[in-house]
Every structure is written in C-alpha cells, then in structure tokens.
Amino acid sequence: MPSLTAAMCGAQKVVITDYPDQSLVDNMVWNADVNLVEDDRKRVDVEGFVWGAKVDSLLEKSGGEGYDVLILSDLVFNHSQVRLARRLFILVKALLMT
C-alpha cells in the first residue's frame, strides 16, 4: 500500500475531512501524523465536516482559491443524507478551481 506521502502526488494543500465526531477527527490527525513526513504534514489539514454544509471553512484552507481535485467517498451514510446528493454538484463546483 502506498504511503500518504506518495499519494499526495506533489499537492500544495490537502484537506482531509470526516464527520465532525471528535474521535474520528483525532483518528485522522493521528493517521496524518504517523504516515506523513514532516514537510508533507505541514501541507495537510484535517477537519470535521458534514458534506452538504457551507464550504467556507474548506475554501479558507485553500486560501480562497479552491482545489484542483476532490476525492469524495462515503458521503451518504444514512437516509437523512439523501438530500445531500442534490447539493453535491453545487458544493463541488464551489470548491474546484474555476
């Protein structure tokens, strides 16, 4: 399995999100700390985030410029999240660089 460092492919900024439960966020931080060399770790932010919410905090992490690539996985995790699919196009468009 490739390391997180190799998976970054030279990215200037990586933001890793998961549901904003403290134990999940703590686990993401631990994984980044353990698996990234120091120079790469400085370019990685970890944040609790519910997809479908306002993306302002994620845009701030990019310096307001947005992102080149988004990898979205396991976003609809219960029946109350089904409405999320309708909003994803708008949110992804807002986060990707135009």
Side-chain angles (χ1 to χ4, degrees), residues 23-72:
S23 64
L24 294 174
V25 174
D26 291 346
N27 187 54
M28 290 187 297
V29 169
W30 180 84
N31 276 304
D33 289 346
V34 168
N35 291 294
L36 293 170
V37 297
E38 186 177 346
D39 286 343
D40 286 341
R41 181 62 180 99
K42 293 175 185 175
R43 296 179 297 152
V44 173
D45 285 330
V46 174
E47 181 171 331
F49 185 76
V50 175
W51 284 91
K54 290 183 179 184
V55 296
D56 298 346
S57 64
L58 300 180
L59 281 173
E60 286 177 21
K61 293 184 180 303
S62 74
E65 295 182 17
Y67 300 90
D68 293 321
V69 176
L70 295 177
I71 300 172
L72 308 174

Side-chain angles (χ1 to χ4, degrees), residues 64-84:
E65 295 182 17
Y67 300 90
D68 293 321
V69 176
L70 295 177
I71 300 172
L72 308 174
S73 175
D74 196 24
L75 302 177
V76 180
F77 52 87
N78 65 39
H79 67 280
S80 67
Q81 295 295 108
V82 172
R83 291 184 300 169
L84 172 64

Side-chain angles (χ1 to χ4, degrees), residues 9 47 64 88:
C9 298
E47 181 171 331
L88 281 179

